[in-house]
């Protein structure tokens, strides 16, 4: 094995370790730069950071998992000849959806599902589908047409072409879509705090309300680290499947 | 034997193939040739139902292809395309064993077959574990042919299989394929737009133009029975000369009784091509040359008279 992939994983492990240490020992950072983290404004009841971290990761994991399932399923459906018309629609919707702010989706789901965990989950789920769906479709579309031609020309049926050729070859592109989706959702999940879904958004939002920079940093630093760690993890997965092609 | 009856394919307003009637003989290479866009690939792909005809009938050994589900039909027909289409995530072994696996062969039988095919294609056995990206263009193309032959189909469809390979390697692939075909005697439909390739491989040449089949005969017959202008033009003015490459001297010399040494003529082995012999006559400005066998014994003489039957067969009174 080359040294480069090992270094990539070391970097990922390092980022994850820093994230965990920080979540459990945020006071280290506060002691390191006391002026920056000096408490201002009124004291606000603090939720322990590990709890926020758990809520945040839980929300993102569940929504991303559901998004991926749904997106790969829809993207696969779009592969079949009868769904040719849907394909364009899916790709257009995905592009359109990404210009649509996630706050707006949350705002739209609240009247339906009320405040709390569920509207946020629904919003993140819908939002997370788009990049994965688009990449599943384009990933399959961009496979060398000669390969697809050979696959059916050898006598594979549509299902076999899909499972043995199309999906394995599109996998790196699909994972790239998952990576985008998860990163976006890690950021978007902070907004869930405005409707009471918990997570790292809670200190950020209350910090903003009370002009307390220390409180804002308490939410934003871990969330940024989480995003960077997830990005590193998925780019490693992408590289693994890219190399297997 | 493949029979095409009034086969037509329409893509929207484009008539890619128009009313093609033809019989493709068993155990022969039929080369489908014509300018780009004349419908060769479309016609070829209708045989294994990659494309369904708009009208007409295609049957293999008397059986209408529509009677067999496309997947089952294709597993019995070898298929090779220009850009090879090897599966990049599969090893050479896995690529070659695609159809046998679809047919449910057992592992030992597959292993045996893959080894056999690597040997046949002149590829090292160690290639089995390589990935397509580790292969040169020529090697990939050989694997492509091996993959098509894997389940030993009686029929092989090849769409410009050597088109993406450099000329030198292409010539080698053609020679090898010729050798393999002499061994296997498959029914082959071979699409190309390269006249020299057609001459090198074809038992029969089928010329297409604008979706129609405009000529279908042995390569020599295009000259014997003065072909229509389009065909002569497409085949080129040097077609007859190129055709001579297909023939060995051993079939075209006048035997001499006893020994005929001391003529001072240059000599060629009986295995040389007639094209080489004619080239020698032309460059040395000679009327005849001596043909000898492998041991060097004189067999006879070669003159231009010896090949008059090749082209003038009908009128020349052979
Ligand atoms: N799937 C298709 N849809 C529309 N037109 C096609 C399609 N396939 C081929 N054609 C058209 O049919 C004609 C013949 O194409 P083809 O059989 O590929 O020619 P060749 O193999 O002789 O170069 C061309 O004009 C081409 O543009
Ligand atoms: Mg073609």
């Amino acid at each position: 094995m080359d040294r480069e992939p090992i270094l990539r994983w070391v970097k990922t492990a390092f980022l994850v370790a820093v994230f965990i240490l920080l979540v459990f020992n945020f006071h280290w950072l506060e002691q390191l730069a006391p002026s920056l983290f000096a408490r201002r404004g009124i004291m606000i009841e603090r939720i322990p950071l590990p709890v926020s971290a758990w809520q945040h990761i839980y929300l993102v994991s569940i929504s991303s998992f559901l998004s991926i399932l749904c997106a790969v399923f829809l993207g696969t459906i779009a592969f079949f000849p009868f769904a040719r018309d849907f394909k364009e629609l899916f790709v257009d919707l995905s592009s359109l959806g990404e210009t649509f702010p996630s706050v707006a989706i949350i705002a739209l789901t609240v009247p339906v599902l009320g405040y709390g965990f569920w509207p946020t989950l629904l919003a993140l789920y819908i939002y997370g589908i788009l990049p994965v769906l688009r990449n599943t479709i384009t990933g399959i579309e961009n496979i060398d047409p000669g390969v697809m031609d050979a696959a059916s020309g050898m006598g594979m049926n549509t299902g076999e072409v899909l499972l043995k050729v199309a999906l394995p070859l599109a996998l790196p592109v699909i994972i790239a879509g998952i990576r985008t989706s998860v990163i976006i959702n890690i950021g978007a999940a902070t907004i869930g705090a405005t409707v009471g879904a918990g997570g790292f958004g809670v200190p950020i939002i209350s910090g903003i309300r009370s002009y307390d920079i220390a409180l804002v940093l308490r939410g934003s630093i871990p969330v940024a680290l989480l995003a960077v760690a997830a990005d590193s993890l998925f780019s490693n997965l992408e590289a693994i499947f890219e190399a297997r092609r | 034997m493949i029979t095409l009856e009034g086969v037509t394919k329409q893509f929207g307003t484009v008539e890619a193939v128009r009313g093609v009637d033809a019989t493709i003989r068993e155990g022969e290479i039929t080369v489908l040739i014509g300018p780009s866009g004349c419908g060769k690939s479309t016609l070829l792909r209708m045989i294994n139902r990659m494309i369904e005809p708009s009208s007409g009938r295609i049957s293999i050994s008397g059986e209408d292809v529509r009677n067999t589900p496309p997947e089952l039909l294709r597993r019995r027909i070898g298929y090779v395309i220009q850009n090879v289409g090897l599966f990049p995530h599969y090893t050479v072994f896995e690529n070659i064993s695609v159809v046998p696996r679809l047919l449910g062969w057992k592992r030992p039988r597959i292993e045996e077959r893959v080894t056999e095919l690597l040997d046949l294609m002149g590829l090292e056995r160690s290639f089995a574990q390589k990935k397509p990206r580790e292969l040169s263009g020529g090697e990939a193309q050989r694997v492509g042919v091996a993959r098509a032959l894997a389940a030993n189909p009686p029929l092989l469809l090849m769409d410009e299989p050597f088109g993406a390979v450099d000329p030198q390697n292409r010539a080698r692939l053609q020679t090898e394929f010729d050798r393999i075909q002499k061994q296997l005697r498959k029914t082959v439909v071979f699409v190309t737009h390269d006249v020299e390739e057609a001459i090198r491989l074809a038992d029969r040449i089928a010329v297409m133009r604008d979706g129609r089949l405009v000529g279908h005969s042995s390569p020599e017959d295009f000259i014997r029975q003065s072909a229509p202008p389009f065909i002569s033009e497409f085949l080129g003015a040097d077609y007859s000369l190129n055709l001579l490459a297909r023939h060995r001297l051993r079939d075209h010399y006048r035997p001499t009784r006893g020994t005929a040494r001391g003529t001072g003529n240059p000599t060629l082995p009986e295995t040389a091509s007639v094209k080489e012999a004619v080239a020698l006559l032309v460059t040395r400005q000679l009327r005849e040359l001596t043909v000898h066998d492998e041991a060097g014994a004189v067999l006879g003489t070669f003159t231009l008279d010896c090949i008059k039957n090749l082209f003038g067969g009908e009128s020349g009174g052979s």
Side-chain angles (χ1 to χ4, degrees):
Chain A
M1 205 177 177
D2 291 340
R3 272 181 55 204
E4 205 198 334
I6 297 177
L7 285 178
R8 288 159 152 278
W9 283 105
V10 170
K11 180 185 157 204
T12 308
F14 175 75
L15 288 168
V16 171
V18 170
F19 172 77
I20 294 173
L21 278 176
L22 205 70
V23 162
F24 284 95
N25 303 284
F26 200 77
H27 56 272
W28 289 355
L29 207 61
E30 291 171 340
Q31 285 154 9
L32 218 65
S35 58
L36 193 60
F37 292 95
R39 311 296 302 285
R40 247 189 288 157
I42 344 129
M43 282 288 284
I44 286 171
E45 180 80 34
R46 280 189 180 187
I47 299 165
L49 258 192
V51 173
S52 303
W54 165 248
Q55 289 170 338
H56 204 98
I57 292 171
Y58 184 71
L59 194 57
V60 171
S61 310
I62 303 273
S63 61
S64 290
F65 178 74
L66 295 175
S67 308
I68 293 164
L69 276 190
C70 176
V72 173
F73 177 74
L74 288 178
T76 305
I77 295 277
F79 169 78
F80 287 87
F82 66 79
R84 196 148 291 151
D85 301 334
F86 294 106
K87 200 148 79 175
E88 298 259 316
L89 183 75
F90 283 162
V91 175
D92 289 349
L93 266 182
S94 302
S95 308
L96 184 75
E98 273 164 24
T99 63
F100 204 75
S102 42
V103 193
I105 298 191
I106 294 185
L108 286 174
T109 51
V110 168
V112 184
L113 292 170
Y115 281 88
F117 178 77
W118 293 107
T120 313
L121 184 83
L122 181 70
L124 294 183
Y125 160 69
I126 293 172
Y127 211 65
I129 291 175
L130 306 177
V132 187
L133 177 58
R134 193 190 46 206
N135 277 31
T136 305
I137 291 175
T138 57
I140 293 177
E141 264 181 353
N142 289 341
I143 296 173
D144 175 0
V147 170
M148 299 299 274
D149 190 50
S152 49
M154 311 253 85
M156 290 189 186
N157 59 37
T158 313
E160 286 162 338
V161 173
L162 193 65
L163 289 178
K164 294 184 178 180
V165 181
L167 284 178
L169 288 178
L171 201 54
V173 184
I174 297 175
I175 291 176
I178 294 176
R179 178 178 164 192
T180 311
S181 162
V182 170
I183 305 301
I184 289 177
N185 274 1
I186 287 176
T190 52
I191 296 161
T194 54
V195 295
F200 288 124
V202 175
I204 296 178
I205 303 286
S206 36
I208 291 172
R209 281 203 191 116
S210 58
Y211 300 100
D212 188 341
I213 293 288
L215 209 48
V216 172
L217 288 178
R218 195 179 151 82
S220 54
I221 291 177
V223 93
L225 255 177
L226 182 63
V228 173
D231 184 61
S232 160
L233 175 71
F234 282 107
S235 83
N236 286 351
L237 289 180
E238 220 177 299
I240 287 181
F241 289 105
E242 187 70 57
R244 279 194 1 188
R245 284 212 279 192
Chain B
M1 193 176 67
I2 308 171
T3 329
L4 308 167
E5 293 165 77
V7 175
T8 297
K9 179 65 196 185
Q10 199 138 6
F11 292 112
T13 56
V14 180
E15 252 194 327
V17 172
R18 315 176 188 208
V20 169
D21 293 300
T23 302
I24 289 161
R25 295 203 236 163
E26 227 152 282
E28 288 190 347
I29 299 185
T30 298
V31 171
L32 205 52
I33 196 168
S36 182
C38 69
K40 307 180 293 290
S41 300
T42 307
L43 187 59
L44 186 82
R45 289 157 63 84
M46 285 192 281
I47 297 174
N48 66 353
R49 297 188 69 185
M50 295 291 283
I51 296 175
E52 299 288 353
S54 310
S55 65
R57 204 179 102 101
I58 299 176
S59 46
I60 300 175
S61 309
E63 169 94 1
D64 193 323
V65 291
R66 280 169 300 193
N67 293 346
T68 316
E71 288 86 22
L72 299 186
L73 181 76
R74 291 176 199 150
R75 289 172 199 176
R76 301 200 310 241
I77 300 177
Y79 187 53
V80 190
I81 53 176
Q82 177 172 352
N83 16 25
V84 203
L86 291 183
F87 303 126
H89 57 310
Y90 280 4
T91 61
V92 167
F93 180 93
E94 290 165 331
N95 265 287
I96 297 179
S97 50
V98 166
V99 181
R101 283 211 324 247
L102 289 172
L103 293 172
W105 288 19
K106 294 272 179 296
R107 177 83 187 186
R109 185 173 171 207
I110 293 178
E111 278 172 7
E112 194 180 322
R113 181 65 181 154
V114 171
T115 312
E116 197 178 8
L117 284 164
L118 289 174
D119 292 350
L120 180 72
M121 301 307 302
L123 294 167
E124 304 245 345
R125 291 183 181 182
S126 61
F127 269 59
Q129 295 318 315
K130 288 198 182 188
K131 283 285 183 74
R133 73 178 112 82
E134 301 171 70
L135 305 178
S136 73
E139 288 161 355
Q141 206 52 263
R142 285 181 181 83
V143 175
V145 176
R147 180 175 68 172
L149 290 171
N152 207 5
L155 172 59
L156 215 52
L157 305 179
M158 307 177 85
D159 195 347
E160 309 205 17
F162 310 140
V165 189
D166 62 273
Q168 229 176 352
N169 268 306
R170 189 185 316 167
R172 275 186 53 199
L173 283 167
Q174 288 162 353
T175 315
E176 275 170 38
F177 184 68
D178 195 45
R179 169 182 59 83
I180 291 166
Q181 167 64 4
K182 292 222 157 61
Q183 223 174 308
L184 304 179
R185 291 275 156 220
K186 300 284 180 195
T187 305
V188 181
V189 186
F190 189 109
V191 166
T192 185
H193 58 251
D194 176 358
V195 178
E196 275 190 57
E197 184 166 68
I199 289 172
R200 211 166 271 172
L201 297 173
D203 293 304
R204 311 270 295 170
I205 293 182
V207 185
M208 283 187 78
R209 179 198 196 182
D210 295 337
R212 284 184 216 286
L213 192 63
V214 292
H216 186 187
S217 68
S218 79
E220 285 76 17
D221 279 347
F222 283 114
I223 290 171
R224 285 191 196 129
Q225 313 157 339
S226 60
F230 167 76
I231 297 184
S232 327
E233 199 178 307
F234 181 77
L235 296 176
D238 56 351
Y239 176 70
S240 53
L241 210 51
N242 288 327
L243 260 191
L244 298 178
R246 292 167 56 86
H247 298 272
R248 303 291 118 193
L249 269 185
R250 79 162 65 86
D251 305 317
H252 301 278
Y253 66 88
R254 190 158 13 88
T256 37
R257 295 206 185 86
T259 49
R261 288 185 194 283
T263 56
N265 286 338
T267 65
L268 276 179
E270 59 172 343
T271 50
S273 78
V274 175
K275 190 180 180 183
E276 285 172 78
V278 171
L280 197 59
L281 289 185
V282 171
T283 45
R284 303 271 189 97
Q285 298 281 305
L286 297 169
R287 293 190 157 278
E288 59 178 40
L289 49 79
T290 306
V291 182
H292 63 80
D293 67 11
E294 262 164 70
V298 172
L299 295 168
T301 52
F302 171 83
T303 64
L304 285 184
D305 261 3
C306 300
I307 52 170
K308 69 176 181 208
N309 289 350
L310 263 184
F311 302 136
E314 307 301 295
S315 53
S318 57

